[in-house]
Amino acid sequence: MISKFFINRPAFSGVISIVIVIAGLLCMFNLPIEQYPKLVPTQVVVRADYPGANAQTISTSVASILENSINGVEGMLYIQTATTSSGTMMLNVFFDNETDPDMAVVNVNNRVQAVLNQLPSEVQRLGVTVRKNSTAVLGLYQFYSDNPAHTQLYIANYIVLNIIDEVKRIKGVGDVELWSLMNYAMRLWLKPDMLAAHNLTPLEVIERVQEQNSQFAPGRLGQEPIDGSQFAYTLTTKGLLSSKEEFENIIIRANSDGSTLRLRDIASVELGAQDYLERSTYNGVRSVPIRVTLLPGANMVEVADKVNATIARLSQEKSFVHVTV
């Protein structure tokens, strides 16, 4: 009997037990955090926004160009693209498990930059983002306020300024995504009857707004080769418009009789949300959700505790209430 062998040799049994305990302690710090090996391929997401475009337009003018450029990048398995009628494109590039996620982002970004000048000017102005994506969702947090004066737009803006950056800096957090387009934006509601009366099109109005809502560098006054100048002055001009009144005073057309047609004459201007396509509620109260994902290989329990503690601390500063779903 094997048990009898160890019973008759207690010193030997004690040594074996000590060796097993020491080996267990050594292995405890080297065991993987996850129970199973990594099975989900490395994923890189390319996002582009084309306001006003439908799914077909953004598919032909943006998605097809990026797909042709990214296709064949080192280590790629396949590409998956989704376009929406709200003018958003999400292009997912999947790599094999051996690919370094950071290097995959660099390779994809290089392909995107190579064809950036072929994209529509509006897409170039808003920018094309390239980032790593993790399928491990750490949590979905709903933010709302008991104060009726705190609208969804106010809460979303507070989250962008005070919550998202703090959570992103937590070690082990992959990404923090605001599930809302409730960002502050100057909205111009054009009046079709006034456009027809003045023989204008929406594109002409957009061109005038872009011309007068720009940042310029006028240069310096008194520099060489001017002789006898003792000082050089840097010229400053009015930059981007920031108030409702400034947008309302944008000149759309100057008439021959000296009168001017301004934006307020053909449109209603208000400071509102970037988009009103999404609406979220928690227990019947308007809320703004954020999704937190985990970096590959990070300890989910440890990172979740840090995220919960950080959000609890930040939410108390504005009397927000948060809940993890």
Side-chain angles (χ1 to χ4, degrees), residues 268-289:
S268 298
V269 183
E270 69 172 7
L271 181 62
Q274 177 183 348
D275 215 320
Y276 294 98
L277 296 176
E278 299 176 1
R279 177 176 296 180
S280 177
T281 60
Y282 174 74
N283 288 342
V285 181
R286 294 284 183 88
S287 62
V288 178

Side-chain angles (χ1 to χ4, degrees), residues 27 72 87 109 134 268:
C27 293
N109 188 58
S134 174
S268 298

Side-chain angles (χ1 to χ4, degrees), residues 112-126:
V112 171
Q113 296 301 319
V115 296
L116 194 61
N117 59 349
Q118 302 179 26
L119 303 179
S121 58
E122 188 68 15
V123 178
Q124 297 182 39
R125 185 181 67 85
L126 295 175

Side-chain angles (χ1 to χ4, degrees), residues 42-45 101-102 105 130-134 174-175 293 295-296:
T42 301
Q43 184 177 355
V44 175
V45 178
D102 295 325
V105 172
V130 181
R131 57 181 176 82
K132 293 181 292 185
N133 188 42
S134 174
D175 191 23
T293 56
L295 274 178

